[in-house]
Amino acid sequence: MFRVADISGHPTQLRLLSAWVDHPAPGYVFIGPGHLGKRLIAERFVLALLGLDQDALPQAHADLIVLEAEEGKSVVSVERVREARARLSEKPMVASRVVVYIPALDRLNEEGMNALLKVLEEPPADAVFVCLAESLLRLPATVR
């Protein structure tokens, strides 16, 4: 269930995302400056894709991969991207799909982005990428 009752604004986007929960595309990118609500909407979409009826992402879930910079670092390391690719080669364990959540896609360094491109170009059938970025211009043309 895509929980949107407490989200104000964005009616068109919320309606579309609600319709896509059961049959999602391989990837979504939410783009825009901070404080517009894109993170809240993206995280609720991730929860719905995993079949979870709660308000916040769990600390751990077998079928959720969160790619974000480690504490004290400003970019996502290529090692973390490679770990995610390895997990994507496996089937979902609990949910019907594996969801890769990248809260700052524009913070992957070039090496990390190149490692991610391989799986973005040919994603596993049971994987969905949900990404956030502040600027489309910060993303390589191959990702756009």
Side-chain angles (χ1 to χ4, degrees):
M1 176 178 174
F2 187 36
R3 299 184 73 189
V4 298
D6 60 337
I7 299 174
S8 60
H10 314 288
T12 302
Q13 293 84 352
L14 294 174
R15 189 173 48 257
L16 288 170
L17 291 170
S18 294
W20 292 331
V21 167
D22 292 330
H23 302 287
Y28 299 86
V29 180
F30 295 75
I31 297 177
H35 308 292
L36 292 179
K38 68 181 179 296
R39 185 177 186 114
L40 174 63
I41 292 170
E43 289 183 1
R44 293 284 177 84
F45 187 54
V46 167
L47 290 167
L49 290 169
L50 293 170
L52 300 176
D53 187 20
Q54 57 193 57
D55 290 330
L57 293 179
Q59 291 293 329
H61 187 284
D63 297 320
L64 173 62
I65 301 167
V66 179
L67 277 179
E68 58 188 342
E70 296 172 39
E71 196 166 322
K73 306 245 176 150
S74 60
V75 296
V76 178
S77 70
V78 68
E79 291 81 21
R80 294 198 37 117
V81 174
R82 288 181 181 142
E83 290 170 6
R85 279 188 13 211
R87 171 60 184 94
L88 285 168
S89 67
E90 302 167 1
K91 294 289 182 193
M93 296 181 198
V94 178
S96 61
R97 61 186 58 95
V98 176
V99 178
V100 180
Y101 176 56
I102 308 174
L105 182 62
D106 46 359
R107 290 204 188 145
L108 268 74
N109 61 23
E110 185 176 351
E111 190 178 9
M113 192 65 77
N114 287 337
L116 185 63
L117 277 174
K118 293 175 184 183
V119 73
L120 284 175
E121 290 171 345
E122 295 182 31
D126 51 8
V128 178
F129 289 83
V130 177
C131 311
L132 282 77
E134 289 196 10
S135 171
L136 189 62
L137 298 175
R138 292 184 194 165
L139 302 178
T142 49
V143 172
R144 285 183 261 159

